[in-house]
Amino acid sequence: MTTSSVAAPDAPAKSRGGGRVAVQKFGTFLSGMVMPNIAIFIAWGIITAFFIETGWTPVGVLGGFGETAGVANPGLVGPILTYLIPLAIAIQGGRMVYDTRGAVVGSIMTMGVIIGANGTTMILGAMICGPLGAYLIKQIDKIWDGKIKPGFEMLVNNYAAGILGFGLAMVGFFWLAPLFKLIAEGLGDMVDFLVQHSLLPIASVIIEPAKVFFLNNAINHGVLDQLGADQVKESGKSILFLLEANPGPGLGLLLAFTFFGVGIARSTAPGAIIIQFFGGIHEIYFPYVLQKPILFIAVILGGATGVATNVAFQSGLVAPASPGSIFAVLGATERNSFLGVILSVILSAAVSFAVSSFFLLASRKRDLANGGGDMSAAMAKLQANKGRDVNAATSGLLGNNSPANEEEAEASLGGVGSASTATATKVQNLVFACDAGMGSSAMGASVLRNKIKKAGIEGVTVSNKAIANLSGDEDLIITQEELTDRAKQKNPNAQHVSVGNFMNAPQYDQVVEQLKNQ
């Protein structure tokens, strides 16, 4: 289920799947603003679950209901959602664009939008204004960079940021806030329409495939988080937090491979279940779907079943479940929603398992006769459609079952890959990169770090990062297949290794061997 190639820059690589890569980069940027602040969402969700009027232990002064001395209690729930969460996102977005200076100006602009929106949650506004304010102050600083007389740097810098911040706050308050409020209300009305007409399960047709192609962050963090937070503020729960986080479809798929798969897919599926269902790292099952694209039907139907169940039981979460572990899902479940949420996971897993099993059994005899040939052919076709190298894709799929392909992969790591040539740089800084730089890449880094330690290799650092945070000083970068093109764009001079599964890629042993021989 893995492929390996070492890549130097090449023009065609940038043009392949350009639209997909652009959406991935946009989604990654959004997740880069939200993911570091997920703890705030979780804390806010806990406060909401306990202290609102319909919570486990209602407390007016904390939950924001009732009055004290004739004055309405603001509580913690409303202010955290209205001010803290958007400002934290804006600060992180501004920092990503222009460090602390960008964070300051971006937060000033966002504050204008927050107040101008008059109580409407401005997570969407923060995602735009934080980076935009940072970008504008960055461009202004370039105007007089190196032209300020010594001793006046602090005066010019502080007043430039302050004056720009004042102007952007006014723009946010008077012009952008009404626009963002209109967009938020429009999206909310659209979701309400889907819920009222029992059409929300249709969203799985978009969300489930988007997950497998790493395109879900733009939908999840750009739209669903804000709408879900608004629903929680109004009703104490939101079904939208479960559209993407439900671990049921992936669990059903992996169970089907455990019982009816062949070769390396079957042998690795049980371990993948633990990581996906309990650890919440959904990326672990993506390669299994890509082996047989017809299995998209299984995860779509499974996801739609889960959504339909939650619609029927009117169940939801009080905060985003991140990562999408069953523990995180249950921890964020609203007090009256446990039955619906648990059933949504079970039923979505059952449907995904049944449909996946049907397709695996239908092709099992042929797969066994061909040693998994049909699976590799399907993967090769999929990769070819995306402009990828068929030999590399096929070698990764067959993994250890094909000595010829292992030799090809080793040659690819050793110097000349099937797609391009490698650099001769000694590997000292090895980085695992994924979309958010947390779940799957952290797991892969841990696995390879242990292998390097057991091999007695010293002087090599193994870390994990978001692709957007690659700095250009990495010697070797390991990414999942769908993300390799973006990693090449960030650091075209590094060696690049593409894998299908961070948990048990055979390329890890090849990397260790390369480190031994360097």
Side-chain angles (χ1 to χ4, degrees):
M1 286 184 297
T2 57
T3 67
S4 80
S5 62
V6 181
D10 58 277
K14 291 188 178 182
S15 63
R16 298 173 195 151
R20 173 176 54 82
V21 171
V23 175
Q24 284 180 352
K25 290 173 69 175
F26 177 65
T28 298
F29 189 81
L30 295 180
S31 66
M33 287 188 277
V34 175
M35 292 301 291
N37 295 303
I38 282 294
I40 302 178
F41 279 94
I42 294 173
W44 171 74
I46 295 173
I47 292 170
T48 302
F50 276 95
F51 301 134
I52 63 173
E53 197 165 5
T54 57
W56 289 96
T57 55
V59 178
V61 71
L62 296 176
F65 62 92
E67 295 182 350
T68 300
V71 179
N73 293 317
L76 285 173
V77 177
I80 289 176
L81 181 60
T82 302
Y83 302 107
L84 178 58
I85 291 177
L87 284 175
I89 290 173
I91 289 170
Q92 178 63 18
R95 184 180 291 117
M96 290 168 64
V97 174
Y98 196 39
D99 296 327
T100 302
R101 190 165 170 79
V104 170
V105 176
S107 64
I108 297 172
M109 185 178 187
T110 301
M111 195 63 186
V113 170
I114 291 172
I115 302 301
N118 193 27
T120 300
T121 306
M122 277 291 106
I123 294 177
L124 177 63
M127 288 181 170
I128 295 174
C129 293
L132 177 59
Y135 175 79
L136 292 175
I137 187 62
K138 183 177 182 179
Q139 300 309 309
I140 287 179
D141 282 352
K142 289 180 179 179
I143 296 174
W144 46 68
D145 185 29
K147 300 175 183 178
I148 304 174
K149 291 185 179 296
F152 288 87
E153 295 89 351
M154 183 178 292
L155 179 68
V156 173
N157 288 337
N158 283 343
Y159 270 87
I163 293 172
L164 178 63
F166 161 76
L168 294 178
M170 296 300 101
V171 171
F173 184 92
F174 288 108
W175 288 287
L176 294 182
L179 175 62
F180 292 147
K181 186 173 182 178
L182 185 65
I183 293 173
E185 290 175 350
L187 292 172
D189 291 341
M190 182 173 64
V191 171
D192 288 341
F193 174 84
L194 293 176
V195 172
Q196 291 172 9
H197 292 80
S198 300
L199 296 175
L200 197 57
I202 295 176
S204 296
V205 175
I206 298 174
I207 291 175
E208 294 301 330
K211 287 173 65 175
V212 176
F213 289 111
F214 299 90
L215 305 176
N216 59 309
N217 284 323
I219 301 171
N220 202 24
H221 298 306
V223 179
L224 297 182
D225 281 351
Q226 164 148 341
L227 297 179
D230 283 335
Q231 286 187 351
V232 171
K233 184 171 66 174
E234 295 173 4
S235 60
K237 61 186 175 184
S238 175
I239 188 178
L240 301 181
F241 291 138
L242 275 166
L243 295 187
E244 187 268 343
N246 186 350
L251 172 63
L253 177 93
L254 293 173
L255 283 172
F257 271 99
T258 299
F259 291 106
F260 307 116
V262 297
I264 191 171
R266 181 175 185 175
S267 65
T268 57
I273 288 174
I274 297 174
I275 293 172
Q276 187 266 345
F277 191 66
F278 297 108
I281 302 176
H282 290 202
E283 292 92 337
I284 200 75
Y285 78 80
F286 298 171
Y288 296 82
V289 181
L290 292 174
Q291 285 182 18
K292 281 184 174 292
I294 197 170
L295 294 179
F296 276 114
I297 297 174
V299 292
I300 289 172
L301 292 177
T305 300
V307 175
T309 303
N310 284 309
V311 170
F313 282 85
Q314 297 184 350
S315 50
L317 305 186
V318 297
S322 181
S325 160
I326 186 61
F327 299 124
V329 169
L330 293 178
T333 299
E334 188 262 342
R335 60 174 297 187
N336 297 315
S337 296
F338 280 96
L339 177 60
V341 170
I342 292 172
L343 278 177
S344 75
V345 175
I346 294 174
L347 294 178
S348 62
V351 170
S352 179
F353 172 77
V355 178
S356 298
S357 298
F358 172 80
F359 289 124
L360 291 177
L361 286 171
S363 62
R364 180 175 174 80
K365 185 176 180 180
R366 182 171 61 250
D367 290 339
L368 288 171
N370 297 332
D374 282 355
M375 298 177 82
S376 60
M379 184 64 167
K381 181 179 178 181
L382 182 65
Q383 297 296 340
N385 289 338
K386 298 174 199 167
R388 301 279 183 88
D389 182 80
V390 173
N391 291 330
T394 307
S395 70
L397 181 66
L398 294 178
N400 292 332
N401 294 336
S402 175
N405 286 329
E406 282 192 11
E407 291 171 4
E408 180 182 301
E410 288 172 3
S412 183
L413 275 168
V416 180
S418 57
S420 54
T421 58
T423 64
T425 305
K426 181 179 179 180
V427 176
Q428 293 179 312
N429 182 13
L430 194 157
V431 174
F432 279 76
C434 71
D435 212 22
M438 297 181 181
S440 57
S441 61
M443 177 185 67
S446 177
V447 172
L448 185 56
R449 196 179 292 118
N450 289 335
K451 286 180 175 288
I452 291 175
K453 183 177 180 181
K454 289 179 180 178
I457 299 171
E458 298 180 352
V460 177
T461 61
V462 181
S463 59
N464 55 285
K465 293 181 180 179
I467 290 178
N469 295 333
L470 292 174
S471 58
D473 61 356
E474 301 85 8
D475 300 320
L476 190 150
I477 301 171
I478 300 178
T479 52
Q480 287 174 307
E481 296 161 356
E482 291 297 315
L483 304 176
T484 301
D485 287 345
R486 286 168 52 201
K488 290 178 184 178
Q489 293 178 16
K490 292 292 292 186
N491 185 349
N493 297 316
Q495 298 181 49
H496 288 266
V497 177
S498 300
V499 301
N501 188 332
F502 273 153
M503 182 176 68
N504 51 14
Q507 280 75 13
Y508 293 167
D509 293 330
Q510 298 157 16
V511 170
V512 171
E513 192 63 30
Q514 177 183 345
L515 296 177
K516 285 182 180 179
N517 295 332
Q518 69 179 9

